[in-house]
C-alpha cells in the first residue's frame, strides 16, 4: 500500500484550516495554517505568528514543529499548508528546510501540483548528516 493511500488529506486540510483561527497576523493580515501527520498517527498543527519586526515573524511550519517537539517529537509523514481562504500554499525555502529535518523518509506535501515528496520540493537538502561533530 502506498503512503498516500493511508493519508487522510481531508483531515489534514481541516486541521490546517482550523489553525487559521489561531494565527496572529495584525500587520499583513495574511493568516496561514499548517497541519502534518506524524508517524504515530497524531496530527500536529500550527499557525503563523507575526512580529512588528517582520524578520522575527514565525511561519506556521515553525509553530507546528515546536508543537511536535513539545508533544514528544516524532517524524512527519504528510503536510498541508493553507492561506486564509483555505487555498494550498507552498512552504517557503526556510520552512522546506525545517520540514526536511523533521520528515520521515518520503514525507509528502500537498502542493498545487499534487502530493510531492519533501525530496522533490527540496532536492539536495542540507541536513544533520552534513554537520561534522
Amino acid at each position: 500500500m502506498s503512503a498516500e493511500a493511508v493519508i487522510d488529506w481531508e483531515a489534514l486540510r481541516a486541521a490546517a484550516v482550523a489553525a487559521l483561527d489561531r494565527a496572529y497576523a495584525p500587520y499583513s493580515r495574511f493568516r496561514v495554517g499548517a497541519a502534518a501527520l506524524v508517524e504515530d498517527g497524531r496530527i500536529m498543527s500550527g499557525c503563523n505568528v507575526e512580529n512588528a519586526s517582520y524578520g522575527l515573524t514565525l511561519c506556521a511550519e515553525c509553530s507546528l514543529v515546536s508543537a511536535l517537539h513539545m508533544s514528544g517529537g516524532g517524524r512527519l509523514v504528510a503536510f498541508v499548508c493553507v492561506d486564509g481562504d483555505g487555498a494550498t500554499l507552498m512552504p517557503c525555502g526556510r520552512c522546506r528546510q525545517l520540514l526536511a529535518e523533521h520528515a520521515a523518509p518520503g514525507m509528502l506535501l500537498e502542493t498545487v501540483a499534487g502530493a510531492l515528496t519533501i525530496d522533490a520540493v527540496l532536492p539536495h537538502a542540507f541536513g544533520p548528516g552534513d554537520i561534522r561533530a
Side-chain angles (χ1 to χ4, degrees), residues 101-124:
E101 185 146 337
H102 297 88
M107 180 183 96
L108 294 171
L109 288 81
E110 180 185 73
T111 75
V112 294
L116 299 173
T117 67
I118 187 66
D119 294 330
V121 299
L122 187 64
H124 312 292

Side-chain angles (χ1 to χ4, degrees), residues 7-57:
I7 296 168
D8 185 346
W9 291 102
E10 288 182 31
L12 283 180
R13 175 168 281 285
V17 169
L20 290 169
D21 290 337
R22 304 280 184 180
Y24 178 73
Y27 309 108
S28 71
R29 306 266 190 260
F30 189 75
R31 298 176 307 127
V32 178
L37 176 64
V38 183
E39 285 177 316
D40 64 9
R42 288 176 295 148
I43 293 179
M44 305 305 305
S45 60
C47 62
N48 60 321
V49 178
E50 290 184 347
N51 188 280
S53 173
Y54 286 113
L56 298 179
T57 291

